[in-house]
Amino acid sequence: MPEINYIDVFFSVHAFQEEELRGKTAVIIDVLRASSSITTALSNGAKKIIPVADMSDAMKIANTMDQKDFLLCGEKNGTKIEGYHLGNSPAEYEPEVVKGKTLIFNTTNGTKAIKKSSLANQIYVGTFLNQDSILNALKDHDDEVVLVCSGWQGRLSIEDTLFAGSLLHAISGGELPDSAKDGAKVAFGLFQKFGDDLEGAISKSDHAKRLAELVPNGDIEFCCKVNEFDVLPGMRDGILTNLNG
Ligand code: 3SL
């Protein structure tokens, strides 16, 4: 496990510079909903996921591929992008839809956080759905770890911070030392306050309110499930695959 004092938390995609992740391990967190959709897609047999920062990068990659091999996936401000095959609801990523496919994934904050973390030595994508897979992977790390919360357009999101806090709670055995970093203390404290009722806290979050009219019933509840999948989305050469596969 990494030394607890070497674990930091960044609270949004705007809260760090690329250089701050050089040589570290990054866990990218976007509970609502990019991390949850990516985890679900890989669990349901997607072959690989190529995260992109914007629509033009998505199209450039799509243009190099055979139409039958890929799906364009993602959202802008919560809504499926026109012309894309899938939006960003985990419910869309069913086995019969994604099995064997390459998903080109483009979301408002989550995939931008993944792309911005590219100087990290290792990138994992984590959420409540695959919490234990992330914890198991971190056991092999004694380097510095950053829990990168995607947040929302530069702002903190309670759901991402709660998942960071949940990881810290597990790693520290429920007792965070005074020597932990400030970001770790904030995330840990939030989890201590709301960890007993994740769905209650997350369904009242700013982003859940934004999504209320836009996404299928059940998305928020699903994204609050803990350890639903034994999947470890990890990055190699710009591509996410299931490293537990
Ligand atoms: O911002 C993102 O990357 C998305 O996960 C947001 S949404 O839940 O699809 O609106």
Side-chain angles (χ1 to χ4, degrees), residues 30-35 74-79 87-89 106-112 150-153 207 211 214-215:
D30 186 16
V31 172
L32 298 179
R33 297 167 292 164
S35 296
E75 55 67 49
K76 181 121 182 86
N77 297 327
T79 306
N88 192 27
S89 167
N106 172 22
T107 72
T108 310
N109 304 279
T111 60
K112 287 184 181 56
S150 302
W152 177 259
Q153 297 188 340
H207 196 47
L211 292 177
L214 301 174
V215 307

Side-chain angles (χ1 to χ4, degrees), residues 3-193:
E3 253 292 336
I4 201 87
N5 302 344
Y6 292 148
I7 305 179
D8 208 347
V9 181
F10 295 165
F11 291 97
S12 90
V13 70
H14 292 180
F16 65 98
Q17 304 296 320
E18 282 93 333
E19 202 47 52
E20 292 177 80
L21 283 171
R22 186 183 289 280
K24 299 179 184 171
T25 291
V27 179
I28 315 300
I29 303 169
D30 186 16
V31 172
L32 298 179
R33 297 167 292 164
S35 296
S36 299
S37 291
I38 287 169
T39 302
T40 303
L42 287 174
S43 178
N44 285 343
K47 191 164 139 200
K48 46 189 176 178
I49 295 180
I50 307 177
V52 296
D54 56 38
M55 285 197 233
S56 110
D57 284 355
M59 289 320 295
K60 275 186 213 148
I61 293 169
N63 286 335
T64 66
M65 295 180 69
D66 194 318
Q67 297 246 356
K68 69 176 177 0
D69 293 334
F70 73 87
L71 297 170
L72 277 167
C73 309
E75 55 67 49
K76 181 121 182 86
N77 297 327
T79 306
K80 185 176 132 192
I81 298 168
E82 209 183 316
Y84 276 32
H85 301 93
L86 299 174
N88 192 27
S89 167
E92 295 173 89
Y93 292 83
E94 294 177 321
E96 53 277 23
V97 178
V98 300
K99 207 166 179 43
K101 299 277 189 189
T102 295
L103 310 186
I104 303 169
F105 226 95
N106 172 22
T107 72
T108 310
N109 304 279
T111 60
K112 287 184 181 56
I114 297 172
K115 293 304 286 180
K116 195 172 174 184
S117 303
S118 61
L119 292 179
N121 255 359
Q122 176 67 62
I123 294 174
Y124 301 117
V125 173
T127 185
F128 291 108
L129 295 169
N130 69 336
Q131 173 164 296
D132 275 356
S133 299
I134 295 293
L135 288 168
N136 282 335
L138 291 180
K139 278 187 193 144
D140 295 333
H141 287 272
D142 53 12
D143 52 345
E144 286 187 58
V145 171
V146 181
L147 309 177
V148 180
C149 300
S150 302
W152 177 259
Q153 297 188 340
R155 306 230 172 96
L156 176 150
S157 288
I158 200 170
E159 63 277 8
D160 296 344
T161 311
L162 268 175
F163 180 62
S166 182
L167 292 177
L168 286 156
H169 195 267
I171 292 167
S172 67
E175 282 190 40
L176 200 67
D178 287 345
S179 54
K181 291 184 185 291
D182 289 359
K185 287 177 184 163
V186 169
F188 182 92
L190 193 77
F191 182 78
Q192 278 191 316
K193 182 162 172 60

